[in-house]
Amino acid sequence: MSIVDTGDLWWKSAVVYCLDVETFLDWNGDGVGDFAGLAHRIDYLAELGVTCLWLMPFYATAGRDDGYDIVDFYAVDSRFGHFGDLVELMRLARSRGLRVIVDLVINHTSDKHPWFTASRSSRESPYRDYYVWRDTPPKKQPKPVFPDQEKSNWELDKKTGQYYQHMFYKAQPDLNVANPAVRDEIAKIMGFWAELGVNGFRVDAVPFLLETAAIIGGDGALPDPHEYLQALRSFLSRRVGDAVLLGEVNLPREDQLLFFGGPDGDELNMQFDFITMQKMYLSLARSDAGPLVEALQSRPVCSHDVQWANFARNHDELTLDKLTDEERAEVFAAFGPEKRMQVYGRGIVRRLPPMLHGDQRRIRMVYSLLFSMPGTPVLFYGEEIGMGENLAREGRMAVRTPMQWNAGRNGGFSNAKKSPLIDAIVDGVFGPDRVNVEDQLRDPDSQLGFIKRLIEHYRASPELGWGTFEVLKQKHPAVLAHTLTWDGGRVVLLHNFADEPVDVHLRVPDGDESTTLSDLFTDETVQLTGAGAVDISLEGYGFRWLRLVSETDVRRY
Ligand code: GLC
């Protein structure tokens, strides 16, 4: 048997954990999370089993978009500590075998960034062309991303009499990537962080960065936007051979393929699968696995080196923009029926457990899916303990509340008497009294214990990240039965989207009377018939992870 060469493609089987330093743990008692706090929780994260941290923006910021409005790409937000604290954190993470990726926000800067201050000072400024200026906004304009806040993507600068482009808030002017000087700046920024030891970037708003005509309207600024993404990727690969570019690309399938670099796979190494995420919620709302199956089967055939990043929730609204109006209405009705739970007419600002009314069976089924759909799972901090949201906070901030460490004062997040973040801590049934790390660490049956086991099994089953995906035929619409095959190993996964228990009859490829299915979560084994047929029972909202093994198989785990 040959040794399979997985190269340096670590992201194919990583477990990514996204967190914001600001809301994780406040070590100096000033009411704001900091690098030292996170450093003190590195062992918690390593023991949880995640393999890669994604740090949300921690750069110097004007604070208008929770850090996504940067005023200095080479400085850290002083509320989080000193640059030295960040370097110490990176060292600690590395010492525990954790990789670190950081947000790369280069579609725009803050309007307080010195480049923009110079750019808007006069039409003759050497920085004028760092941004996108027009005498009049183009007639054809896409809808603003934040329609409740912005009426247009162009803002008049009275002093110089021209409009600048901003696809997000007006306080976030778009950088002009058609300008070679801007491209040099971007390369310098990436090179800087790569040199500091990051293992890659979560690239913010990629289609906007590339300014494709389809996104920004008009002609688009770059003759071939994908050439630029290829250039970014090859630049980074030259600097750090195994660095990853994990891109935020919420576009239809055919465009996603382009952002991977087509069949060559020479652009983004990874993309979040927004379509699968949205269809998963539709499946949940309907108790019908159909929409999710359709989404997974519609993934384009890509280079084997690239990867899908699966997620159940992230730091933004749960966007439902790729569903039809009727489908979106169904998901709103099921999981975010009140106006205050919805934003921008397209998304829900809630976390998963409250959306599922705290039903543990259903919540666990979703996380089981997250870890067993083909791809790399991405967790948002607090998901491992089942945190809820705080709807008293504005818009997307509802899900960005402080981490809940214990049932003590301020949920163990901070010793400070008062701070806006302390006020933001969730209260009620999902608050720290009932949902916190300390209690759950002592209880193997907790959500935390469960997520740990999922991570263990994911890491012990390379089929999940690397395998070839196939949906297995069976007759229950509420059930997703799939298999993943890799390097002679096969796992069979079953998920029941309905409340009623079912017996699923299916045929396992390569199965015969010399093989059994071994349940990864229990000791149970199920014998197959000569034709590989088997009956498997599932509880309401139940799930099973089964490995196909023969008596002599060393892969059994
Ligand atoms: C991305 C981020 C979002 C931010 C936006 C502008 O979509 O996920 O939080 O507001 O980019 O940078």
Side-chain angles (χ1 to χ4, degrees):
M1 186 182 155
S2 61
I3 301 285
V4 174
D5 179 17
T6 53
D8 290 331
L9 311 181
W10 58 269
W11 57 84
K12 291 279 292 188
S13 51
V15 180
V16 181
Y17 186 96
C18 166
L19 69 93
D20 190 351
V21 173
E22 182 178 12
T23 51
F24 209 58
L25 180 63
D26 167 21
W27 201 250
N28 66 359
D30 65 354
V32 180
D34 41 44
F35 295 124
L38 174 53
H40 281 88
R41 289 295 183 263
I42 283 291
D43 283 319
Y44 163 77
L45 294 167
E47 277 160 32
L48 177 59
V50 301
T51 63
C52 174
L53 305 183
W54 153 23
L55 303 183
M56 286 172 60
F58 48 74
Y59 312 98
T61 173
R64 301 293 301 278
D65 186 16
D66 205 22
Y68 283 92
D69 52 324
I70 296 172
V71 296
D72 186 348
F73 290 101
Y74 301 102
V76 300
D77 186 329
S78 57
R79 295 174 310 150
F80 304 164
H82 189 271
F83 218 120
D85 301 319
L86 172 64
V87 172
E88 178 58 11
L89 170 69
M90 301 278 300
R91 185 198 66 82
L92 262 180
R94 197 168 52 239
S95 76
R96 303 301 194 270
L98 291 170
R99 291 188 163 88
V100 177
I101 63 173
V102 297
D103 247 290
L104 182 69
V105 190
I106 46 175
N107 169 66
H108 47 259
T109 68
S110 158
D111 61 350
K112 302 285 182 293
H113 192 291
W115 296 339
F116 191 67
T117 316
S119 180
R120 77 189 316 176
S121 66
S122 95
R123 291 195 188 196
E124 280 69 51
S125 160
Y127 286 94
R128 187 71 173 175
D129 261 358
Y130 268 45
Y131 296 86
V132 185
W133 294 96
R134 296 279 181 280
D135 290 335
T136 47
K139 285 207 177 60
K140 210 177 110 216
Q141 266 195 57
K143 232 171 87 186
V145 177
F146 303 127
D148 58 333
Q149 309 269 332
E150 305 294 349
K151 295 282 160 283
S152 158
N153 300 312
W154 294 85
E155 180 71 10
L156 177 65
D157 178 61
K158 289 211 182 82
K159 185 169 169 219
T160 56
Q162 280 188 315
Y163 292 81
Y164 66 86
Q165 180 185 286
H166 61 88
M167 298 308 294
F168 295 90
Y169 295 116
K170 60 167 80 68
Q172 291 167 311
D174 286 353
L175 282 167
N176 175 19
V177 289
N179 177 352
V182 170
R183 292 172 180 229
D184 283 350
E185 298 279 10
I186 290 173
K188 217 188 288 175
I189 293 164
M190 291 172 76
F192 175 85
W193 290 100
E195 217 44 42
L196 205 86
V198 307
N199 301 94
F201 299 96
R202 179 265 185 187
V203 194
D204 191 54
V206 189
F208 297 94
L209 164 74
L210 295 192
E211 309 218 314
T212 54
I215 292 296
I216 63 164
D219 297 331
L222 296 170
D224 182 355
H226 287 282
E227 220 169 73
Y228 180 44
L229 196 51
Q230 273 162 18
L232 279 185
R233 161 77 182 278
S234 65
F235 166 77
L236 183 61
S237 303
R238 286 197 302 276
R239 292 290 173 96
V240 184
D242 68 347
V244 71
L245 287 180
L246 162 57
E248 184 196 25
V249 182
N250 180 11
L251 290 181
R253 290 295 193 210
E254 55 280 16
D255 295 300
Q256 291 179 321
L257 180 60
L258 293 178
F259 281 83
F260 275 134
D264 294 345
D266 56 1
E267 296 183 26
L268 298 170
N269 313 84
M270 276 180 109
Q271 284 178 60
F272 293 103
D273 192 346
F274 280 93
I275 292 174
T276 294
M277 184 278 292
Q278 301 188 33
K279 295 283 187 178
M280 180 179 81
Y281 281 93
L282 185 61
S283 276
L284 288 168
R286 289 183 178 172
S287 296
D288 172 7
L292 178 60
V293 169
E294 195 192 298
L296 289 169
Q297 288 181 331
S298 73
R299 284 178 171 179
V301 179
C302 302
S303 146
H304 204 59
D305 290 2
V306 303
Q307 180 65 309
W308 294 100
N310 294 318
F311 64 108
R313 280 300 284 115
N314 68 8
H315 62 291
D316 287 329
E317 76 280 5
L318 188 181
T319 182
L320 301 168
D321 66 337
K322 295 290 175 286
L323 302 183
T324 64
D325 291 350
E326 292 75 30
E327 292 170 340
R328 190 177 316 109
E330 279 178 67
V331 179
F332 274 151
F335 304 130
E338 297 171 35
K339 271 279 159 265
R340 63 191 183 125
M341 300 169 175
Q342 303 170 6
V343 278
Y344 319 133
R346 62 166 185 257
I348 300 179
V349 287
R350 305 184 77 192
R351 283 183 179 250
L352 182 79
M355 284 194 278
L356 299 183
H357 312 289
D359 184 339
Q360 285 303 314
R361 299 170 307 158
R362 238 175 150 189
I363 295 167
R364 290 184 184 202
M365 193 275 279
V366 172
Y367 285 106
S368 164
L369 263 177
L370 173 68
F371 280 86
S372 64
M373 291 190 290
T376 292
V378 182
L379 283 171
F380 180 47
Y381 78 92
E383 285 195 287
E384 74 273 28
I385 53 169
M387 272 170 54
E389 71 279 346
N390 182 349
L391 290 170
R393 296 196 91 197
E394 170 81 25
R396 305 181 296 176
M397 299 309 285
V399 299
R400 303 179 187 178
T401 63
M403 182 68 179
Q404 298 171 187
W405 293 104
N406 58 50
R409 194 164 121 218
N410 303 331
F413 162 69
S414 169
N415 282 330
K417 289 223 169 53
K418 221 179 146 36
S419 85
L421 274 175
I422 289 172
D423 291 342
I425 293 172
V426 174
D427 58 11
V429 287
F430 295 99
D433 283 358
R434 302 203 213 165
V435 176
N436 69 68
V437 171
E438 196 175 286
D439 290 351
Q440 295 194 19
L441 277 174
R442 297 196 183 105
D443 175 6
D445 290 332
S446 62
Q447 164 93 353
L448 182 61
F450 171 66
I451 297 281
K452 260 192 195 182
R453 286 194 291 283
L454 283 178
I455 294 177
E456 265 169 40
H457 292 307
Y458 176 84
R459 292 183 60 182
S461 310
E463 296 90 350
L464 300 174
W466 287 88
T468 307
F469 169 70
E470 194 186 329
V471 174
L472 298 178
K473 280 208 192 84
Q474 46 78 42
K475 70 174 194 328
H476 303 280
V479 172
L480 166 62
H482 71 282
T483 173
L484 287 156
T485 318
W486 165 252
D487 185 25
R490 181 185 291 282
V491 283
V492 175
L493 300 309
L494 289 109
H495 292 83
N496 181 6
F497 283 74
D499 202 359
E500 299 80 39
V502 281
D503 286 320
V504 183
H505 180 78
L506 46 79
R507 211 190 71 72
V508 180
D510 306 327
D512 58 34
E513 64 271 89
S514 72
T515 54
T516 51
L517 286 176
S518 155
D519 192 310
L520 298 184
F521 287 88
T522 67
D523 285 339
E524 209 182 326
T525 54
V526 195
Q527 183 67 48
L528 275 72
T529 68
V534 66
D535 289 301
I536 299 164
S537 53
L538 289 173
E539 302 289 332
Y541 300 123
F543 59 87
R544 305 282 294 269
W545 290 29
L546 304 154
R547 172 174 292 289
L548 185 67
V549 284
S550 62
E551 247 169 47
T552 53
D553 212 330
V554 289
R555 219 178 262 114
R556 150 184 290 131
Y557 207 50

